[in-house]
Short mmCIF file of all heavy atoms in Angstrom, two decimals:
data_model
loop_
_atom_site.label_atom_id
_atom_site.label_comp_id
_atom_site.label_asym_id
_atom_site.label_seq_id
_atom_site.Cartn_x
_atom_site.Cartn_y
_atom_site.Cartn_z
N PHE A 24 95.06 197.02 -2.12
CA PHE A 24 94.74 198.23 -1.38
C PHE A 24 95.53 199.37 -1.98
O PHE A 24 96.71 199.24 -2.25
CB PHE A 24 95.10 198.09 0.10
CG PHE A 24 94.29 197.06 0.81
CD1 PHE A 24 94.83 195.85 1.15
CD2 PHE A 24 92.96 197.30 1.10
CE1 PHE A 24 94.08 194.90 1.81
CE2 PHE A 24 92.20 196.36 1.75
CZ PHE A 24 92.76 195.15 2.10
N SER A 25 94.87 200.49 -2.17
CA SER A 25 95.53 201.65 -2.74
C SER A 25 95.43 202.81 -1.75
O SER A 25 94.34 203.24 -1.40
CB SER A 25 94.86 202.03 -4.06
OG SER A 25 95.44 203.19 -4.58
N PHE A 26 96.57 203.31 -1.31
CA PHE A 26 96.60 204.43 -0.38
C PHE A 26 97.35 205.58 -1.05
O PHE A 26 98.49 205.41 -1.47
CB PHE A 26 97.29 204.05 0.92
CG PHE A 26 96.62 202.90 1.62
CD1 PHE A 26 97.26 201.70 1.76
CD2 PHE A 26 95.34 203.04 2.13
CE1 PHE A 26 96.64 200.65 2.40
CE2 PHE A 26 94.71 202.00 2.78
CZ PHE A 26 95.36 200.79 2.92
N ARG A 27 96.71 206.73 -1.14
CA ARG A 27 97.34 207.88 -1.78
C ARG A 27 98.42 208.50 -0.89
O ARG A 27 99.37 209.07 -1.38
CB ARG A 27 96.30 208.93 -2.14
CG ARG A 27 95.36 208.47 -3.21
CD ARG A 27 96.08 208.39 -4.53
NE ARG A 27 95.27 207.64 -5.48
CZ ARG A 27 95.75 206.88 -6.41
NH1 ARG A 27 97.04 206.75 -6.57
NH2 ARG A 27 94.96 206.23 -7.22
N ASN A 28 98.24 208.42 0.41
CA ASN A 28 99.24 208.99 1.30
C ASN A 28 99.14 208.33 2.67
O ASN A 28 98.28 207.48 2.89
CB ASN A 28 99.10 210.52 1.40
CG ASN A 28 97.72 210.92 1.87
OD1 ASN A 28 97.13 210.27 2.73
ND2 ASN A 28 97.19 212.00 1.31
N SER A 29 99.99 208.74 3.56
CA SER A 29 100.02 208.12 4.89
C SER A 29 98.76 208.43 5.70
O SER A 29 98.38 207.65 6.57
CB SER A 29 101.26 208.56 5.65
OG SER A 29 101.25 209.95 5.83
N LEU A 30 98.10 209.56 5.44
CA LEU A 30 96.86 209.88 6.15
C LEU A 30 95.76 208.88 5.82
O LEU A 30 95.01 208.45 6.70
CB LEU A 30 96.39 211.29 5.81
CG LEU A 30 97.29 212.43 6.29
CD1 LEU A 30 96.76 213.78 5.80
CD2 LEU A 30 97.38 212.42 7.81
N VAL A 31 95.66 208.49 4.55
CA VAL A 31 94.66 207.51 4.14
C VAL A 31 94.97 206.16 4.76
O VAL A 31 94.09 205.47 5.27
CB VAL A 31 94.60 207.41 2.60
CG1 VAL A 31 93.64 206.32 2.16
CG2 VAL A 31 94.19 208.74 1.99
N ALA A 32 96.24 205.78 4.76
CA ALA A 32 96.64 204.50 5.36
C ALA A 32 96.36 204.51 6.85
O ALA A 32 95.86 203.51 7.40
CB ALA A 32 98.12 204.25 5.09
N ASP A 33 96.63 205.63 7.51
CA ASP A 33 96.36 205.74 8.95
C ASP A 33 94.86 205.65 9.23
O ASP A 33 94.44 204.97 10.17
CB ASP A 33 96.94 207.04 9.48
CG ASP A 33 96.77 207.17 10.98
OD1 ASP A 33 97.18 206.23 11.70
OD2 ASP A 33 96.22 208.19 11.43
N ALA A 34 94.07 206.33 8.41
CA ALA A 34 92.61 206.28 8.59
C ALA A 34 92.10 204.86 8.40
O ALA A 34 91.24 204.39 9.15
CB ALA A 34 91.93 207.23 7.61
N TYR A 35 92.63 204.16 7.40
CA TYR A 35 92.23 202.77 7.17
C TYR A 35 92.60 201.89 8.36
O TYR A 35 91.80 201.06 8.79
CB TYR A 35 92.89 202.24 5.89
CG TYR A 35 92.54 200.81 5.59
CD1 TYR A 35 91.31 200.48 5.03
CD2 TYR A 35 93.43 199.78 5.88
CE1 TYR A 35 90.99 199.16 4.77
CE2 TYR A 35 93.11 198.47 5.63
CZ TYR A 35 91.89 198.17 5.06
OH TYR A 35 91.57 196.86 4.80
N MET A 36 93.79 202.09 8.91
CA MET A 36 94.23 201.30 10.05
C MET A 36 93.34 201.58 11.26
O MET A 36 92.94 200.64 11.97
CB MET A 36 95.69 201.63 10.38
CG MET A 36 96.30 200.74 11.45
SD MET A 36 98.06 201.00 11.69
CE MET A 36 98.09 202.68 12.26
N ARG A 37 92.97 202.84 11.50
CA ARG A 37 92.09 203.16 12.62
C ARG A 37 90.70 202.59 12.41
O ARG A 37 90.07 202.11 13.36
CB ARG A 37 92.02 204.68 12.82
CG ARG A 37 93.26 205.21 13.55
CD ARG A 37 93.14 206.67 13.93
NE ARG A 37 93.50 207.46 12.75
CZ ARG A 37 92.81 208.50 12.29
NH1 ARG A 37 91.74 208.91 12.91
NH2 ARG A 37 93.20 209.14 11.22
N LEU A 38 90.22 202.60 11.16
CA LEU A 38 88.92 202.02 10.85
C LEU A 38 88.93 200.51 11.13
O LEU A 38 87.98 199.97 11.71
CB LEU A 38 88.54 202.28 9.40
CG LEU A 38 87.21 201.69 8.94
CD1 LEU A 38 86.05 202.29 9.73
CD2 LEU A 38 87.02 201.90 7.46
N CYS A 39 90.00 199.83 10.74
CA CYS A 39 90.12 198.39 11.00
C CYS A 39 90.13 198.11 12.50
O CYS A 39 89.48 197.18 12.97
CB CYS A 39 91.38 197.82 10.36
SG CYS A 39 91.27 197.68 8.57
N THR A 40 90.84 198.93 13.25
CA THR A 40 90.89 198.77 14.71
C THR A 40 89.51 198.96 15.30
O THR A 40 89.07 198.16 16.15
CB THR A 40 91.87 199.79 15.32
OG1 THR A 40 93.15 199.61 14.73
CG2 THR A 40 91.97 199.63 16.82
N GLU A 41 88.80 199.98 14.86
CA GLU A 41 87.45 200.25 15.37
C GLU A 41 86.50 199.12 14.99
O GLU A 41 85.69 198.68 15.81
CB GLU A 41 86.95 201.59 14.80
CG GLU A 41 85.85 202.22 15.58
CD GLU A 41 86.24 202.57 17.02
OE1 GLU A 41 87.40 202.91 17.29
OE2 GLU A 41 85.35 202.48 17.88
N PHE A 42 86.62 198.64 13.76
CA PHE A 42 85.76 197.53 13.33
C PHE A 42 86.01 196.29 14.18
O PHE A 42 85.06 195.59 14.55
CB PHE A 42 86.00 197.20 11.85
CG PHE A 42 85.17 196.04 11.37
CD1 PHE A 42 83.84 196.21 11.04
CD2 PHE A 42 85.73 194.78 11.26
CE1 PHE A 42 83.07 195.15 10.62
CE2 PHE A 42 84.97 193.70 10.84
CZ PHE A 42 83.64 193.89 10.51
N ASN A 43 87.27 196.00 14.50
CA ASN A 43 87.59 194.85 15.35
C ASN A 43 86.97 195.00 16.74
O ASN A 43 86.50 194.02 17.32
CB ASN A 43 89.09 194.65 15.45
CG ASN A 43 89.68 194.10 14.18
OD1 ASN A 43 89.01 193.44 13.41
ND2 ASN A 43 90.95 194.38 13.95
N LYS A 44 86.95 196.24 17.26
CA LYS A 44 86.30 196.47 18.56
C LYS A 44 84.80 196.19 18.46
O LYS A 44 84.22 195.55 19.34
CB LYS A 44 86.51 197.92 19.02
CG LYS A 44 87.90 198.23 19.49
CD LYS A 44 88.00 199.70 19.88
CE LYS A 44 89.42 200.12 20.14
NZ LYS A 44 89.52 201.56 20.38
N TRP A 45 84.15 196.67 17.38
CA TRP A 45 82.72 196.44 17.20
C TRP A 45 82.43 194.95 17.09
O TRP A 45 81.48 194.45 17.68
CB TRP A 45 82.21 197.14 15.95
CG TRP A 45 82.34 198.63 15.94
CD1 TRP A 45 82.45 199.47 17.01
CD2 TRP A 45 82.40 199.45 14.79
NE1 TRP A 45 82.55 200.76 16.59
CE2 TRP A 45 82.53 200.79 15.24
CE3 TRP A 45 82.34 199.21 13.42
CZ2 TRP A 45 82.59 201.86 14.36
CZ3 TRP A 45 82.41 200.28 12.54
CH2 TRP A 45 82.54 201.58 13.01
N GLU A 46 83.27 194.27 16.32
CA GLU A 46 83.08 192.83 16.14
C GLU A 46 83.23 192.10 17.48
O GLU A 46 82.45 191.20 17.79
CB GLU A 46 84.10 192.31 15.12
CG GLU A 46 83.93 190.85 14.78
CD GLU A 46 84.96 190.37 13.77
OE1 GLU A 46 86.10 190.87 13.77
OE2 GLU A 46 84.61 189.48 12.99
N TRP A 47 84.22 192.49 18.27
CA TRP A 47 84.44 191.86 19.57
C TRP A 47 83.26 192.11 20.50
O TRP A 47 82.79 191.20 21.18
CB TRP A 47 85.74 192.36 20.19
CG TRP A 47 85.94 191.82 21.56
CD1 TRP A 47 85.86 192.52 22.73
CD2 TRP A 47 86.24 190.48 21.94
NE1 TRP A 47 86.09 191.70 23.80
CE2 TRP A 47 86.32 190.43 23.34
CE3 TRP A 47 86.43 189.30 21.22
CZ2 TRP A 47 86.59 189.28 24.05
CZ3 TRP A 47 86.71 188.14 21.92
CH2 TRP A 47 86.78 188.14 23.31
N ASP A 48 82.76 193.35 20.53
CA ASP A 48 81.59 193.67 21.36
C ASP A 48 80.38 192.84 20.94
O ASP A 48 79.64 192.32 21.78
CB ASP A 48 81.25 195.16 21.28
CG ASP A 48 82.25 196.03 22.00
OD1 ASP A 48 83.01 195.50 22.84
OD2 ASP A 48 82.28 197.25 21.73
N PHE A 49 80.18 192.71 19.63
CA PHE A 49 79.07 191.91 19.11
C PHE A 49 79.20 190.45 19.56
O PHE A 49 78.25 189.86 20.09
CB PHE A 49 79.03 191.99 17.59
CG PHE A 49 78.01 191.08 16.97
CD1 PHE A 49 76.67 191.43 16.96
CD2 PHE A 49 78.39 189.89 16.39
CE1 PHE A 49 75.72 190.59 16.38
CE2 PHE A 49 77.46 189.03 15.82
CZ PHE A 49 76.12 189.40 15.81
N LYS A 50 80.39 189.87 19.38
CA LYS A 50 80.61 188.48 19.78
C LYS A 50 80.41 188.29 21.28
O LYS A 50 79.83 187.30 21.72
CB LYS A 50 82.01 188.02 19.37
CG LYS A 50 82.17 187.79 17.89
CD LYS A 50 83.59 187.36 17.57
CE LYS A 50 83.76 187.11 16.09
NZ LYS A 50 85.12 186.68 15.75
N LYS A 51 80.90 189.26 22.06
CA LYS A 51 80.79 189.16 23.52
C LYS A 51 79.32 189.20 23.95
O LYS A 51 78.89 188.37 24.77
CB LYS A 51 81.57 190.31 24.17
CG LYS A 51 81.63 190.22 25.68
CD LYS A 51 82.55 191.28 26.25
CE LYS A 51 81.85 192.61 26.26
NZ LYS A 51 82.58 193.67 26.94
N GLU A 52 78.55 190.14 23.38
CA GLU A 52 77.13 190.23 23.75
C GLU A 52 76.36 188.99 23.32
O GLU A 52 75.51 188.49 24.07
CB GLU A 52 76.51 191.49 23.14
CG GLU A 52 76.98 192.76 23.83
CD GLU A 52 76.22 193.98 23.40
OE1 GLU A 52 74.97 193.90 23.31
OE2 GLU A 52 76.86 195.01 23.15
N MET A 53 76.66 188.47 22.13
CA MET A 53 75.97 187.25 21.68
C MET A 53 76.37 186.05 22.53
O MET A 53 75.53 185.21 22.85
CB MET A 53 76.25 186.98 20.20
CG MET A 53 75.50 187.90 19.26
SD MET A 53 73.71 188.02 19.57
CE MET A 53 73.17 186.35 19.39
N TYR A 54 77.63 185.96 22.90
CA TYR A 54 78.08 184.85 23.75
C TYR A 54 77.36 184.91 25.10
O TYR A 54 76.92 183.88 25.61
CB TYR A 54 79.59 184.90 23.94
CG TYR A 54 80.11 183.81 24.85
CD1 TYR A 54 80.26 182.52 24.37
CD2 TYR A 54 80.41 184.06 26.18
CE1 TYR A 54 80.71 181.49 25.20
CE2 TYR A 54 80.86 183.05 27.02
CZ TYR A 54 81.02 181.77 26.52
OH TYR A 54 81.45 180.77 27.35
N THR A 55 77.23 186.10 25.65
CA THR A 55 76.53 186.27 26.93
C THR A 55 75.08 185.83 26.79
O THR A 55 74.55 185.10 27.64
CB THR A 55 76.60 187.73 27.40
OG1 THR A 55 77.98 188.11 27.51
CG2 THR A 55 75.91 187.93 28.72
N TRP A 56 74.43 186.25 25.71
CA TRP A 56 73.03 185.87 25.51
C TRP A 56 72.89 184.36 25.34
O TRP A 56 72.00 183.74 25.93
CB TRP A 56 72.44 186.59 24.29
CG TRP A 56 70.98 186.27 24.13
CD1 TRP A 56 69.94 186.89 24.74
CD2 TRP A 56 70.43 185.20 23.38
NE1 TRP A 56 68.76 186.28 24.40
CE2 TRP A 56 69.03 185.24 23.56
CE3 TRP A 56 70.96 184.22 22.56
CZ2 TRP A 56 68.17 184.33 22.96
CZ3 TRP A 56 70.10 183.31 21.96
CH2 TRP A 56 68.72 183.37 22.16
N VAL A 57 73.76 183.75 24.53
CA VAL A 57 73.71 182.30 24.30
C VAL A 57 73.93 181.55 25.61
O VAL A 57 73.23 180.56 25.89
CB VAL A 57 74.72 181.87 23.22
CG1 VAL A 57 74.90 180.36 23.19
CG2 VAL A 57 74.29 182.37 21.85
N THR A 58 74.87 181.99 26.42
CA THR A 58 75.13 181.34 27.71
C THR A 58 73.90 181.41 28.60
O THR A 58 73.52 180.41 29.23
CB THR A 58 76.33 182.01 28.40
OG1 THR A 58 77.46 181.95 27.53
CG2 THR A 58 76.67 181.30 29.70
N THR A 59 73.25 182.57 28.64
CA THR A 59 72.04 182.72 29.43
C THR A 59 70.93 181.80 28.90
O THR A 59 70.22 181.16 29.69
CB THR A 59 71.57 184.19 29.42
OG1 THR A 59 72.64 185.02 29.86
CG2 THR A 59 70.35 184.40 30.29
N ALA A 60 70.79 181.75 27.58
CA ALA A 60 69.77 180.89 26.98
C ALA A 60 70.03 179.42 27.29
O ALA A 60 69.10 178.66 27.60
CB ALA A 60 69.71 181.11 25.47
N GLU A 61 71.30 179.00 27.21
CA GLU A 61 71.65 177.61 27.55
C GLU A 61 71.31 177.30 29.00
O GLU A 61 70.81 176.20 29.31
CB GLU A 61 73.13 177.35 27.28
CG GLU A 61 73.48 177.23 25.82
CD GLU A 61 74.98 177.10 25.59
OE1 GLU A 61 75.79 177.38 26.51
OE2 GLU A 61 75.35 176.70 24.47
N THR A 62 71.56 178.24 29.89
CA THR A 62 71.23 178.05 31.30
C THR A 62 69.72 177.90 31.48
O THR A 62 69.26 177.03 32.22
CB THR A 62 71.75 179.24 32.13
OG1 THR A 62 73.15 179.37 31.93
CG2 THR A 62 71.45 179.05 33.61
N ARG A 63 68.95 178.74 30.79
CA ARG A 63 67.49 178.64 30.88
C ARG A 63 66.99 177.31 30.35
O ARG A 63 66.09 176.70 30.94
CB ARG A 63 66.85 179.80 30.11
CG ARG A 63 67.00 181.12 30.85
CD ARG A 63 66.64 182.32 30.03
NE ARG A 63 65.28 182.29 29.54
CZ ARG A 63 64.81 183.17 28.66
NH1 ARG A 63 65.60 184.12 28.19
NH2 ARG A 63 63.56 183.10 28.25
N ILE A 64 67.59 176.82 29.27
CA ILE A 64 67.19 175.53 28.72
C ILE A 64 67.57 174.40 29.69
O ILE A 64 66.79 173.48 29.93
CB ILE A 64 67.82 175.30 27.33
CG1 ILE A 64 67.20 176.26 26.32
CG2 ILE A 64 67.64 173.86 26.89
CD1 ILE A 64 67.91 176.30 24.98
N SER A 65 68.77 174.50 30.26
CA SER A 65 69.21 173.48 31.22
C SER A 65 68.33 173.44 32.45
O SER A 65 68.09 172.38 33.03
CB SER A 65 70.66 173.74 31.65
OG SER A 65 71.52 173.64 30.56
N ASN A 66 67.84 174.60 32.87
CA ASN A 66 67.01 174.68 34.07
C ASN A 66 65.53 174.38 33.80
O ASN A 66 64.74 174.38 34.72
CB ASN A 66 67.13 176.07 34.71
CG ASN A 66 68.50 176.29 35.31
OD1 ASN A 66 69.21 175.35 35.64
ND2 ASN A 66 68.87 177.55 35.45
N PHE A 67 65.20 174.15 32.54
CA PHE A 67 63.80 173.88 32.20
C PHE A 67 63.31 172.63 32.93
O PHE A 67 63.97 171.60 32.94
CB PHE A 67 63.64 173.68 30.69
CG PHE A 67 62.23 173.39 30.29
CD1 PHE A 67 61.30 174.41 30.26
CD2 PHE A 67 61.83 172.10 29.95
CE1 PHE A 67 59.99 174.15 29.89
CE2 PHE A 67 60.53 171.84 29.59
CZ PHE A 67 59.60 172.87 29.56
N GLY A 68 62.17 172.77 33.57
CA GLY A 68 61.58 171.64 34.28
C GLY A 68 61.95 171.55 35.74
O GLY A 68 61.41 170.72 36.45
N THR A 69 62.86 172.38 36.20
CA THR A 69 63.20 172.35 37.62
C THR A 69 62.08 173.03 38.40
O THR A 69 61.26 173.76 37.85
CB THR A 69 64.54 173.07 37.91
OG1 THR A 69 64.42 174.44 37.52
CG2 THR A 69 65.68 172.41 37.18
N VAL A 70 62.07 172.81 39.68
CA VAL A 70 61.00 173.33 40.54
C VAL A 70 60.95 174.86 40.50
O VAL A 70 59.88 175.46 40.43
CB VAL A 70 61.21 172.84 42.00
CG1 VAL A 70 60.17 173.44 42.92
CG2 VAL A 70 61.20 171.34 42.05
N ALA A 71 62.09 175.50 40.50
CA ALA A 71 62.14 176.97 40.53
C ALA A 71 61.58 177.59 39.25
O ALA A 71 61.05 178.69 39.28
CB ALA A 71 63.58 177.43 40.74
#
């Protein structure tokens, strides 16, 4: 990694933090969807 000054390093650190938030949101939404899908599969064939 090459940083010309502390502003570039700070921007990179903030970008990494933001990317981690995006990644976490993505994982959370996919986990929620998968859990719902598993529930629908488990309930397949029930009277309701």
Side-chain angles (χ1 to χ4, degrees):
F24 294 106
S25 177
F26 300 114
R27 293 289 166 213
N28 58 38
S29 61
L30 293 176
V31 176
D33 184 53
Y35 179 78
M36 187 173 63
R37 281 188 277 134
L38 178 63
C39 287
T40 303
E41 201 61 33
F42 178 79
N43 287 335
K44 287 178 189 174
W45 298 337
E46 184 180 33
W47 175 251
D48 288 342
F49 174 79
K50 287 180 179 180
K51 186 173 78 173
E52 288 189 45
M53 285 309 301
Y54 178 78
T55 302
W56 184 86
V57 167
T58 303
T59 305
E61 286 175 344
T62 303
R63 287 168 58 189
I64 291 170
S65 297
N66 291 337
F67 180 75
T69 62
V70 177

